[in-house]
Amino acid sequence: NSFYPNSHLSLCLSEDGKDLWGVPFKGKLCGTAHNVDYYANGKLQIIFGSGSSIYIIDRLGRFVGGFPVDLGKEILIGPDVYDFNGTRAYNIMVLHKDNTIEMYNLKGRKPSSWKTITAPETIKGLPEQVVVGGNTFWVVRTSVQTLIYPFGGGNAVTVFKGDQMIRPDSEIRVVDGTSVSVDCYDGRSRTVKLK
Protein backbone atom coordinates (compact mmCIF):
# COMPACT_ATOMS: atom_id res chain seq x y z
CA ASN A 1 0.00 0.00 0.00
CA SER A 2 1.02 3.62 -0.59
CA PHE A 3 -0.28 6.56 1.45
CA TYR A 4 0.41 9.97 -0.09
CA PRO A 5 -0.94 13.48 -0.75
CA ASN A 6 -1.89 14.14 -4.38
CA SER A 7 -1.35 17.42 -6.25
CA HIS A 8 -4.62 18.79 -4.77
CA LEU A 9 -3.43 17.92 -1.23
CA SER A 10 -6.01 15.14 -0.90
CA LEU A 11 -4.79 12.18 1.13
CA CYS A 12 -4.79 9.00 -0.95
CA LEU A 13 -4.32 5.30 -0.36
CA SER A 14 -3.44 2.93 -3.17
CA GLU A 15 -2.79 -0.80 -3.28
CA ASP A 16 -0.57 -2.31 -5.98
CA GLY A 17 -0.79 0.99 -7.91
CA LYS A 18 -4.61 1.08 -7.83
CA ASP A 19 -6.21 4.02 -6.01
CA LEU A 20 -8.52 2.93 -3.18
CA TRP A 21 -9.63 6.35 -1.96
CA GLY A 22 -8.83 10.05 -1.71
CA VAL A 23 -9.91 12.32 1.15
CA PRO A 24 -9.77 16.14 1.02
CA PHE A 25 -7.11 17.58 3.34
CA LYS A 26 -5.83 21.13 3.71
CA GLY A 27 -2.32 20.73 5.11
CA LYS A 28 1.00 19.29 4.02
CA LEU A 29 2.40 16.11 5.54
CA CYS A 30 5.50 16.39 7.74
CA GLY A 31 7.52 13.71 5.97
CA THR A 32 6.50 10.47 7.72
CA ALA A 33 3.49 8.20 8.02
CA HIS A 34 3.35 4.91 9.93
CA ASN A 35 0.93 2.10 10.66
CA VAL A 36 -0.47 1.82 14.17
CA ASP A 37 -3.02 -0.51 15.74
CA TYR A 38 -4.67 2.32 17.68
CA TYR A 39 -7.57 0.22 18.94
CA ALA A 40 -5.32 -2.82 19.69
CA ASN A 41 -7.68 -5.05 17.69
CA GLY A 42 -5.38 -6.20 14.87
CA LYS A 43 -6.63 -3.56 12.41
CA LEU A 44 -4.16 -0.94 11.23
CA GLN A 45 -4.55 2.81 10.88
CA ILE A 46 -2.12 5.42 9.53
CA ILE A 47 -0.60 8.11 11.76
CA PHE A 48 0.94 11.28 10.31
CA GLY A 49 1.69 14.89 11.18
CA SER A 50 0.62 18.15 9.55
CA GLY A 51 1.20 21.67 10.87
CA SER A 52 1.35 21.32 14.64
CA SER A 53 -1.01 18.34 14.82
CA ILE A 54 -0.99 14.53 14.73
CA TYR A 55 -3.70 12.74 12.76
CA ILE A 56 -4.80 9.11 12.49
CA ILE A 57 -6.84 7.90 9.52
CA ASP A 58 -8.17 4.38 9.08
CA ARG A 59 -7.71 2.15 6.04
CA LEU A 60 -11.12 3.22 4.70
CA GLY A 61 -10.26 6.93 4.70
CA ARG A 62 -12.06 7.89 7.92
CA PHE A 63 -10.34 10.06 10.51
CA VAL A 64 -10.12 8.43 13.93
CA GLY A 65 -12.11 10.13 16.71
CA GLY A 66 -10.07 12.24 19.12
CA PHE A 67 -7.74 13.42 16.37
CA PRO A 68 -6.15 15.68 15.34
CA VAL A 69 -4.13 16.23 18.50
CA ASP A 70 -2.39 19.61 18.59
CA LEU A 71 1.18 19.43 19.95
CA GLY A 72 1.40 23.19 20.46
CA LYS A 73 4.23 23.89 18.02
CA GLU A 74 4.92 23.29 14.34
CA ILE A 75 6.26 19.89 13.29
CA LEU A 76 9.20 19.85 10.88
CA ILE A 77 9.50 16.05 10.56
CA GLY A 78 7.51 13.30 12.15
CA PRO A 79 6.15 11.41 13.81
CA ASP A 80 8.19 8.27 14.32
CA VAL A 81 6.22 5.68 16.31
CA TYR A 82 7.46 3.47 19.15
CA ASP A 83 5.77 0.67 21.09
CA PHE A 84 8.34 0.31 23.87
CA ASN A 85 6.52 -2.33 25.95
CA GLY A 86 4.70 -4.21 23.17
CA THR A 87 1.21 -3.26 24.43
CA ARG A 88 0.37 -0.80 21.64
CA ALA A 89 0.56 2.08 24.12
CA TYR A 90 2.36 4.10 21.48
CA ASN A 91 4.77 6.97 21.92
CA ILE A 92 5.76 9.24 19.07
CA MET A 93 8.76 11.45 18.49
CA VAL A 94 8.77 14.57 16.35
CA LEU A 95 11.33 17.16 15.30
CA HIS A 96 9.75 20.58 15.71
CA LYS A 97 10.58 23.65 13.63
CA ASP A 98 12.18 25.24 16.72
CA ASN A 99 15.03 22.64 16.56
CA THR A 100 13.67 20.52 19.42
CA ILE A 101 12.85 16.82 19.53
CA GLU A 102 9.94 15.85 21.76
CA MET A 103 8.33 12.57 22.79
CA TYR A 104 4.55 12.39 23.23
CA ASN A 105 1.86 9.81 23.86
CA LEU A 106 -1.05 9.73 21.39
CA LYS A 107 -2.96 12.23 23.52
CA GLY A 108 -0.20 14.80 22.88
CA ARG A 109 1.27 14.60 26.39
CA LYS A 110 4.97 14.23 27.11
CA PRO A 111 6.00 11.43 29.48
CA SER A 112 6.71 12.88 32.93
CA SER A 113 10.34 11.76 32.70
CA TRP A 114 10.94 13.29 29.25
CA LYS A 115 13.38 16.20 28.82
CA THR A 116 13.49 18.10 25.53
CA ILE A 117 16.34 17.24 23.14
CA THR A 118 17.96 20.14 21.33
CA ALA A 119 21.40 20.94 19.94
CA PRO A 120 23.53 24.03 19.29
CA GLU A 121 23.37 23.32 15.53
CA THR A 122 20.49 22.46 13.23
CA ILE A 123 19.08 18.97 13.88
CA LYS A 124 18.78 17.23 10.51
CA GLY A 125 16.21 14.51 11.23
CA LEU A 126 14.41 12.31 13.70
CA PRO A 127 16.57 10.41 16.22
CA GLU A 128 17.74 6.87 15.59
CA GLN A 129 17.23 4.33 18.35
CA VAL A 130 20.28 2.36 19.53
CA VAL A 131 20.15 -0.23 22.32
CA VAL A 132 23.30 -0.73 24.41
CA GLY A 133 23.25 -3.23 27.26
CA GLY A 134 19.46 -3.24 27.38
CA ASN A 135 19.26 0.57 27.53
CA THR A 136 17.88 2.73 24.70
CA PHE A 137 19.76 5.82 23.54
CA TRP A 138 18.88 8.36 20.84
CA VAL A 139 21.34 9.15 18.05
CA VAL A 140 20.76 12.70 16.79
CA ARG A 141 22.43 13.97 13.60
CA THR A 142 23.04 17.70 13.31
CA SER A 143 24.54 19.84 10.56
CA VAL A 144 27.91 19.59 12.36
CA GLN A 145 28.06 16.39 14.43
CA THR A 146 26.36 13.31 15.82
CA LEU A 147 25.16 13.49 19.41
CA ILE A 148 23.88 10.64 21.59
CA TYR A 149 21.20 11.26 24.22
CA PRO A 150 19.81 9.08 27.02
CA PHE A 151 16.37 7.48 26.64
CA GLY A 152 14.69 10.26 28.65
CA GLY A 153 16.24 13.04 26.56
CA GLY A 154 17.92 16.03 28.19
CA ASN A 155 21.66 16.54 27.81
CA ALA A 156 23.80 14.59 25.37
CA VAL A 157 25.95 11.84 26.85
CA THR A 158 28.54 12.51 24.12
CA VAL A 159 30.07 15.98 24.23
CA PHE A 160 33.23 16.36 22.18
CA LYS A 161 35.00 19.41 20.78
CA GLY A 162 36.94 20.10 17.59
CA ASP A 163 38.40 17.11 15.73
CA GLN A 164 37.13 14.69 18.40
CA MET A 165 33.48 15.43 17.53
CA ILE A 166 31.55 12.50 16.06
CA ARG A 167 31.02 13.01 12.33
CA PRO A 168 27.39 13.55 11.27
CA ASP A 169 27.61 10.51 8.96
CA SER A 170 29.30 8.22 11.50
CA GLU A 171 28.01 4.69 11.87
CA ILE A 172 27.17 3.90 15.49
CA ARG A 173 28.52 0.41 16.24
CA VAL A 174 27.62 -1.29 19.52
CA VAL A 175 30.86 -2.67 21.02
CA ASP A 176 29.61 -4.25 24.24
CA GLY A 177 27.01 -3.72 26.99
CA THR A 178 28.27 -0.22 27.81
CA SER A 179 29.96 1.25 24.73
CA VAL A 180 29.67 2.18 21.06
CA SER A 181 32.34 2.81 18.43
CA VAL A 182 32.10 6.04 16.41
CA ASP A 183 34.05 7.85 13.68
CA CYS A 184 35.41 11.30 14.51
CA TYR A 185 36.55 14.31 12.47
CA ASP A 186 40.24 13.47 13.06
CA GLY A 187 39.77 10.23 11.08
CA ARG A 188 39.95 8.02 14.18
CA SER A 189 37.39 5.55 15.43
CA ARG A 190 36.77 5.93 19.14
CA THR A 191 35.01 3.76 21.67
CA VAL A 192 32.58 5.85 23.71
CA LYS A 193 31.16 4.61 27.00
CA LEU A 194 27.44 5.44 27.25
CA LYS A 195 26.66 3.91 30.63
Side-chain angles (χ1 to χ4, degrees), residues 1 5 16 33 51 57 65 71 102 115 123 125 149 193:
N1 289 347
D16 299 325
I57 193 168
L71 301 180
E102 301 287 8
K115 296 177 184 75
I123 296 172
Y149 292 82
K193 192 166 185 152

Side-chain angles (χ1 to χ4, degrees), residues 144-146 158 160 164-168 170 182-185:
V144 174
Q145 63 183 317
T146 295
T158 56
F160 301 109
Q164 292 188 356
M165 284 192 301
I166 305 169
R167 290 192 345 237
S170 173
V182 298
D183 301 318
C184 302
Y185 272 100

Side-chain angles (χ1 to χ4, degrees), residues 95 99-101 117-128 138-149 156 158 160 165-170 172 185:
L95 171 59
N99 204 48
T100 61
I101 294 171
I117 289 176
T118 192
E121 318 84 40
T122 301
I123 296 172
K124 302 302 276 182
L126 290 166
E128 304 157 36
W138 302 109
V139 176
V140 174
R141 315 272 182 180
T142 76
S143 56
V144 174
Q145 63 183 317
T146 295
L147 296 165
I148 303 175
Y149 292 82
T158 56
F160 301 109
M165 284 192 301
I166 305 169
R167 290 192 345 237
D169 62 347
S170 173
I172 308 298
Y185 272 100

Side-chain angles (χ1 to χ4, degrees), residues 2-155:
S2 295
F3 176 72
Y4 60 94
N6 69 14
S7 59
H8 304 292
L9 293 182
S10 289
L11 301 175
C12 301
L13 186 71
S14 67
E15 184 173 41
D16 299 325
K18 181 180 176 186
D19 288 339
L20 299 177
W21 50 258
V23 175
F25 191 72
K26 294 179 182 156
K28 292 189 174 185
L29 301 189
C30 297
T32 65
H34 296 279
N35 286 321
V36 292
D37 182 359
Y38 179 69
Y39 298 109
N41 64 1
K43 295 183 179 176
L44 296 178
Q45 299 81 38
I46 302 163
I47 186 171
F48 63 94
S50 180
S52 62
S53 296
I54 297 297
Y55 296 79
I56 297 182
I57 193 168
D58 71 16
R59 313 279 291 179
L60 299 175
R62 301 172 301 201
F63 287 96
V64 170
F67 290 87
V69 171
D70 190 342
L71 301 180
K73 52 186 181 175
E74 291 280 314
I75 302 167
L76 180 64
I77 304 172
D80 267 354
V81 180
Y82 298 93
D83 182 8
F84 295 117
N85 57 17
T87 62
R88 299 183 188 112
Y90 297 104
N91 287 89
I92 59 171
M93 292 186 83
V94 300
L95 171 59
H96 288 287
K97 287 187 175 179
D98 66 357
N99 204 48
T100 61
I101 294 171
E102 301 287 8
M103 182 187 289
Y104 301 94
N105 65 21
L106 294 190
K107 297 194 183 314
R109 290 192 209 94
K110 296 176 197 172
S112 59
S113 60
W114 177 256
K115 296 177 184 75
T116 300
I117 289 176
T118 192
E121 318 84 40
T122 301
I123 296 172
K124 302 302 276 182
L126 290 166
E128 304 157 36
Q129 187 178 10
V130 63
V131 178
V132 178
N135 294 95
T136 298
F137 295 87
W138 302 109
V139 176
V140 174
R141 315 272 182 180
T142 76
S143 56
V144 174
Q145 63 183 317
T146 295
L147 296 165
I148 303 175
Y149 292 82
F151 178 73
N155 296 321

